[in-house]
Amino acid sequence: MESLLLAIPLAPLLGAIIAGLFGKIIGRAGAHTVTILGVAIAFFLSAYVFKVVAIDGAEAINHSVYTWLESGGIKFEVGFLVDNLTALMMVVVTFVSLMVHIYTIGYMHDDPGYQRFFSYIALFTFSMLMLVMANNFLQLFFGWEAVGLVSYLLIGFWWKKPTAIFANLKAFLVNRVGDFGFLLGIAAVLMYTGSMDYAEVFAKAPSLQNETMSIFPNTSWSVMTVICILLFIGAMGKSAQMPLHVWLPDSMEGPTPISALIHAATMVTAGIFMVARMSPLFELSTTALSFVMVIGALTAFLMGLVGIVQNDIKRVVAYSTLSQLGYMTVALGASAYAAGVFHLMTHAFFKALLFLAAGSVIIAMHHEQDIRKMGGLKKYMPITYITSLIGSLALIGFPGFAGFFSKDSIIEAVHHSTIPGSTLAYWAVLSGVFVTAFYSFRMFFLVFHGKERMDEHTREHLHETPWVVTGPLIALAIPSVLAGFLIDPIVVGDFFKGAIHVDQIHDSLHDVREHFHGAFQFILHGVTQPPFFLAMGGLFSAWFIYLRKPEIADWAAEKFSWLHKLLLNKYWLDDFNQAVFAKGARGIGQALWSGGDRVLIDGLVVNGSAKVIGWVAGVVRHVQSGYLYHYTFAMIIGLIILLGWFVWRV
């Protein structure tokens, strides 16, 4: 089994190396063949591991591959922990990645960087697998930084576009803020437990529950609260929670396949997975759980509102991702880790589907992304239309679709949570249901229904995209419908027993389990609850406003211009960051260059010392005149000074 586990991340890594280093030799076909083969091997091996561990009930695998460094009793190792949580993540990551790889053949067909792109996305898959399979904080941090690096390369893949370079730099810098907190959290774990191994850290954690530290003079902070909040700051960066969310919408500057991979199965899910994995730590701090919940609630609701006013098809889906990540984070804060991970899984399928469907539309529209210039695509693109409808219904939580089971589980869990902040979180996620349905079907109706608003040239060439594009759409549409029925055992069963720890007093899923009588009963119960009516209200409102009475949208934008402007400017958070942090950093750099480099170093140290030496040399050179009487005179003066000094001393 050890060799098999090692082969799972190494297969896509090998594909990435071959495509990256020998892309010109093996050509385009060779590049996509080796990378798809590597990811396919990883997927089938992950599926086998899932069967052995999750279905057959074999014991969790926890072993080290090798010790990288050992110092002072602390081991830095590379190793694997494969339990039900890891096995589920491995299958989701590799399946979505495989679909994206196949889709990329069609989407990037004419791109000159074809081989390079395949190398990057295979490397992305390797990085995420190393992260989720880790059994220690060192390897976790390696995978954490590796997905950040590859996302930087992929967001700026079209490096000749200034907007792409700005976007990848923004993603890199914002994630450095989160990663600084994450690294401090790992350092605190090492400091107080003396270990980097998950099992050892989790075993020692309860003994730290009442221990305090002093960060500032005369203050006392809970060690576990500080550790958990620092770790979560890392998750805020990777999983794009407010206010560290600003990089994610701009990541749309990368090609659509990478948007799907980042938003569905790799980078943004890393933070959610990490907090779920660290549940034995977070359960020891109610304060940290409350912090997580409130941040998630604000992100879920406020980012959904911004999605309403977006006109770029990819940015609508991007803000949807931000909102859904907020739902997952709220679930983590409510100690409903199982519901959060379940939503991560279902969301991976339907969000990858929506992104790839958006890419299919973009291809057909000759790379036009403004939904105001679309309309009536239903008759031209039937497969894209049907799969987009499935993805949209799953996203809004329509009864029976995957998102219904996972989203309703989260809402119910938050409703029964006793963690401080749960009331705010409940109303935020409940209101978010209407908002999600509204922006999702606003986009759907504007793209596929209504009058055709594209130019004549585009209309004449409209047709369904090739099978390498539509095939992955169909493959992702299937779990977008059926995956929700895995609510038992993932949420209401004991699927995560031993992998996720929940304190009995925090068990917000208890009532969900108590009243669960099968998936179909869950559906029947769901259609009588507020989330269903809110979702239908959002769907109907989008249909009525954008298909029947479009003048209402113009009236509302004018009537509530302050709100429209607020949402269009994304709460001015980007402007604030640019004005304060970016401009401030440049100002500090300018001041250091002007005052430090130019005046102090160049002016005083370098040029100043040169001038002093020149002046001294100019004076001293008169001593070396070459005339004997000058030297005799100097000797006499020196002798007089010495005699005077001796006399004065006596």
Side-chain angles (χ1 to χ4, degrees):
M1 183 62 81
E2 180 179 332
S3 299
L4 185 147
L5 291 178
L6 200 56
I8 292 173
L10 290 184
L13 176 63
L14 182 61
I17 291 172
I18 294 173
L21 298 182
F22 307 104
K24 289 186 178 180
I25 299 173
I26 62 177
R28 290 177 168 239
H32 71 235
T33 299
V34 294
T35 51
I36 290 174
L37 180 62
V39 175
I41 291 171
F43 168 65
F44 288 114
L45 291 180
S46 296
Y48 174 73
V49 170
F50 184 84
K51 175 188 177 297
V52 171
V53 175
I55 298 176
D56 297 344
E59 287 189 15
I61 303 162
N62 185 8
H63 70 86
S64 296
V65 177
Y66 69 89
T67 300
W68 176 59
L69 179 68
E70 186 171 0
S71 176
I74 300 171
K75 290 184 178 181
F76 298 92
E77 299 176 316
V78 174
F80 298 131
L81 168 60
V82 181
D83 52 19
N84 285 10
L85 174 60
T86 304
L88 179 65
M89 288 295 298
M90 288 163 62
V91 170
V92 171
V93 169
T94 53
F95 174 71
V96 173
S97 180
L98 180 59
M99 294 302 103
V100 170
H101 275 68
I102 295 170
Y103 176 93
T104 300
I105 297 174
Y107 193 89
M108 301 293 287
H109 183 266
D110 299 319
D111 197 283
Y114 190 85
Q115 294 97 315
R116 178 166 59 97
F117 189 82
F118 271 98
S119 175
Y120 285 171
I121 57 176
L123 188 60
F124 212 164
T125 307
F126 158 75
S127 303
M128 190 65 186
L129 286 170
M130 288 296 286
L131 188 156
V132 300
M133 295 174 71
N135 73 345
N136 62 83
F137 283 92
L138 175 70
Q139 187 174 325
L140 172 70
F141 190 69
F142 165 77
W144 193 269
E145 292 303 305
V147 294
L149 169 64
V150 184
S151 69
Y152 169 82
L153 296 173
L154 284 164
I155 294 169
F157 182 79
W158 287 323
W159 49 270
K160 291 185 179 180
K161 292 172 57 180
T163 51
I165 298 303
F166 179 84
N168 75 345
L169 185 60
K170 186 176 183 179
F172 182 83
L173 292 175
V174 172
N175 273 278
R176 294 291 70 72
V177 175
D179 292 354
F180 180 66
F182 188 59
L183 192 57
L184 287 177
I186 294 175
V189 167
L190 180 60
M191 176 180 176
Y192 283 93
T193 66
S195 177
M196 300 282 276
D197 184 82
Y198 289 163
E200 292 181 20
V201 171
F202 296 160
K204 294 177 181 179
S207 64
L208 300 174
Q209 187 168 9
N210 298 319
E211 191 161 340
T212 60
M213 65 168 70
S214 179
I215 299 177
F216 303 107
N218 303 318
T219 60
S220 180
W221 301 68
S222 165
V223 167
M224 290 312 305
T225 297
V226 171
I227 288 175
C228 291
I229 289 178
L230 287 173
L231 292 175
F232 179 66
I233 288 172
M236 287 171 65
K238 280 289 182 288
S239 294
Q241 296 298 290
M242 293 182 69
L244 300 182
H245 69 282
V246 292
W247 67 270
L248 192 59
D250 285 8
S251 69
M252 297 302 96
E253 293 295 333
T256 298
I258 193 52
S259 300
L261 203 53
I262 288 177
H263 287 242
T266 52
M267 182 142 164
V268 298
T269 62
I272 306 299
F273 165 79
M274 184 274 292
V275 175
R277 173 60 76 202
M278 299 301 146
S279 60
L281 304 182
F282 279 84
E283 286 300 292
L284 298 174
S285 174
T286 303
T287 303
L289 289 174
S290 182
F291 180 74
V292 171
M293 183 187 289
V294 170
I295 293 294
L298 293 174
T299 305
F301 182 67
L302 296 177
M303 293 301 105
L305 289 178
V306 178
I308 293 173
V309 300
Q310 298 300 307
N311 295 311
D312 183 309
I313 188 170
K314 286 174 65 176
R315 284 185 179 264
V316 176
V317 187
Y319 278 99
S320 165
T321 300
L322 283 171
S323 182
Q324 297 309 304
L325 287 168
Y327 274 86
M328 298 174 210
T329 304
V330 166
L332 300 175
S335 292
Y337 304 99
V341 173
F342 187 46
H343 195 51
L344 182 158
M345 180 190 78
T346 61
H347 175 264
F349 298 134
F350 61 72
K351 186 51 57 69
L353 172 58
L354 286 171
F355 263 115
L356 298 187
S360 179
V361 170
I362 292 168
I363 293 171
M365 292 290 297
H366 300 286
H367 294 277
E368 176 59 65
Q369 296 183 198
D370 193 332
I371 59 178
R372 295 169 298 183
K373 297 179 181 179
M374 299 179 187
L377 296 185
K378 175 184 176 182
K379 66 180 179 181
Y380 300 104
M381 309 179 70
I383 298 175
T384 302
Y385 171 77
I386 294 170
T387 52
S388 295
L389 178 60
I390 290 171
S392 298
L393 290 172
L395 172 59
I396 72 170
F398 190 83
F401 288 77
F404 164 76
F405 293 97
S406 56
K407 187 180 287 187
D408 274 33
S409 298
I410 292 173
I411 294 171
E412 283 298 309
V414 176
H415 189 49
H416 293 100
S417 175
T418 58
I419 301 293
S422 57
T423 302
L424 167 69
Y426 174 70
W427 288 108
V429 295
L430 192 61
S431 304
V433 174
F434 176 88
V435 175
T436 301
F438 185 80
Y439 67 65
S440 298
F441 275 88
R442 169 183 177 265
M443 178 183 72
F444 181 79
F445 290 137
L446 286 175
V447 172
F448 294 104
H449 291 272
K451 64 179 181 179
E452 299 172 1
R453 298 178 296 276
M454 69 287 294
D455 59 66
E456 193 60 37
H457 178 264
T458 303
R459 181 186 290 107
E460 289 175 358
H461 294 85
L462 274 174
H463 58 82
E464 186 61 89
T465 43
W467 71 267
V468 289
V469 174
T470 56
L473 295 183
I474 296 169
L476 287 165
I478 295 170
S480 296
V481 177
L482 301 178
F485 289 90
L486 294 175
I487 186 173
D488 184 12
I490 293 180
V491 176
V492 298
D494 60 353
F495 184 81
F496 291 120
K497 185 177 181 180
I500 289 174
H501 171 72
V502 180
D503 195 300
Q504 190 172 353
I505 62 171
H506 295 158
D507 189 6
S508 56
L509 286 171
H510 174 77
D511 287 315
V512 177
R513 286 192 295 268
E514 286 290 310
H515 296 94
F516 183 81
H517 302 291
F520 291 102
Q521 279 295 117
F522 194 84
I523 293 172
L524 292 175
H525 175 73
V527 297
T528 65
Q529 298 302 304
F532 172 73
F533 296 108
L534 287 168
M536 293 305 97
L539 191 157
F540 176 79
S541 299
W543 169 81
F544 186 75
I545 293 173
Y546 291 98
L547 290 185
R548 291 296 178 219
K549 298 287 183 180
E551 61 271 14
I552 294 177
D554 298 328
W555 171 84
E558 185 178 346
K559 182 71 173 177
F560 302 99
S561 57
W562 62 271
L563 179 59
H564 189 254
K565 189 175 181 180
L566 178 70
L567 297 179
L568 273 179
N569 287 280
K570 299 163 285 186
Y571 309 108
W572 285 284
L573 290 172
D574 277 319
D575 301 88
F576 176 81
N577 289 336
Q578 285 297 114
V580 177
F581 295 113
K583 190 175 180 181
R586 288 197 300 268
I588 293 171
Q590 180 76 17
L592 290 174
W593 168 78
S594 179
D597 191 44
R598 192 174 63 177
V599 176
L600 183 62
I601 298 175
D602 286 345
L604 185 60
V605 178
V606 179
N607 296 332
S609 59
K611 288 178 180 178
V612 169
I613 292 171
W615 178 81
V616 171
V619 172
V620 172
R621 68 188 174 89
H622 293 295
V623 175
Q624 297 289 343
S625 64
Y627 292 107
L628 183 61
Y629 62 86
H630 284 170
Y631 301 149
T632 304
F633 179 74
M635 291 172 64
I636 293 170
I637 295 297
L639 183 60
I640 292 171
I641 293 172
L642 282 173
L643 289 173
W645 182 74
F646 279 122
V647 171
W648 178 78
R649 290 281 293 176
V650 174

